[in-house]
């Protein structure tokens, strides 16, 4: 399959958080893989990782899972790590959009696997999803737990079909 462009649309609470063009690498009907440069404004330092111009994100989205995994590499190809978003399952549109709703929970795994951080659990709790959609809130927490277990037991590279 030849690569083509798609528009990744990340939603939060029903509104567009960010949209950016990406190269579609694969779509097997369940998992969608895209590649895109860092789409943020300038650099962003999280304390545990810094995303900056030139970084390349290979992003994996599932139509049947409640998360997305983004492998982050420097412009030179060095692995920084994996940034995982807990999301509703991905949807594609007939207009070339890949739409994903961010549910606030995140997981960071450093490239060497030594650092695994659960992120934004306070933001998730404050967001009120548990009150609006208890089933989605449970699925979101289960997804975060699953990602952390995968990271601790085999590494996210294994999940994505690569090496540990």
């Amino acid at each position: 399959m030849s690569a083509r462009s798609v528009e990744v649309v990340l939603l939060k609470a029903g509104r567009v958080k960010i949209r950016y063009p990406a190269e579609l690498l694969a779509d097997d009907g369940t998992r969608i893989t895209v590649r895109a440069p860092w789409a943020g404004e300038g650099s962003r330092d999280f304390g545990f990782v810094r995303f900056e111009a030139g970084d390349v994100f290979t992003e994996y989205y599932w139509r049947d899972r409640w998360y997305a995994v983004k492998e982050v590499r420097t412009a030179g190809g060095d692995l920084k790590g994996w940034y995982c978003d807990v999301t509703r399952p991905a949807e594609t549109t007939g207009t070339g959009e890949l739409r994903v709703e961010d549910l606030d929970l995140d997981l960071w795994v450093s490239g060497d696997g030594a650092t695994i951080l659960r992120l934004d659990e306070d933001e998730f709790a404050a967001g009120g999803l548990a009150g609006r959609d208890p089933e989605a809130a449970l699925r979101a927490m289960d997804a975060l737990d699953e990602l952390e277990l995968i990271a601790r037991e085999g590494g996210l590279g294994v999940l994505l079909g690569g090496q540990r």
Side-chain angles (χ1 to χ4, degrees), residues 140-163:
M141 288 303 300
D142 287 348
L144 183 63
D145 291 342
E146 179 182 341
L147 284 166
E148 183 178 12
L149 183 65
I150 291 167
R152 292 191 186 286
E153 291 191 347
L156 291 169
V158 174
L159 170 70
L160 306 176
Q163 297 297 319

Side-chain angles (χ1 to χ4, degrees), residues 24 26-27 30-34 59-63 90 92 98:
L24 178 65
D27 183 350
T30 302
R31 187 174 84 179
I32 304 151
T33 307
V34 302
E59 304 175 359
Y60 301 85
Y61 298 92
W62 286 264
R63 291 180 173 95
T92 52
L98 170 60

Side-chain angles (χ1 to χ4, degrees), residues 14-33:
R15 289 190 281 218
V16 175
K17 178 178 173 183
I18 189 171
R19 67 172 49 237
Y20 52 91
E23 176 187 5
L24 178 65
L25 300 178
D27 183 350
D28 66 9
T30 302
R31 187 174 84 179
I32 304 151
T33 307

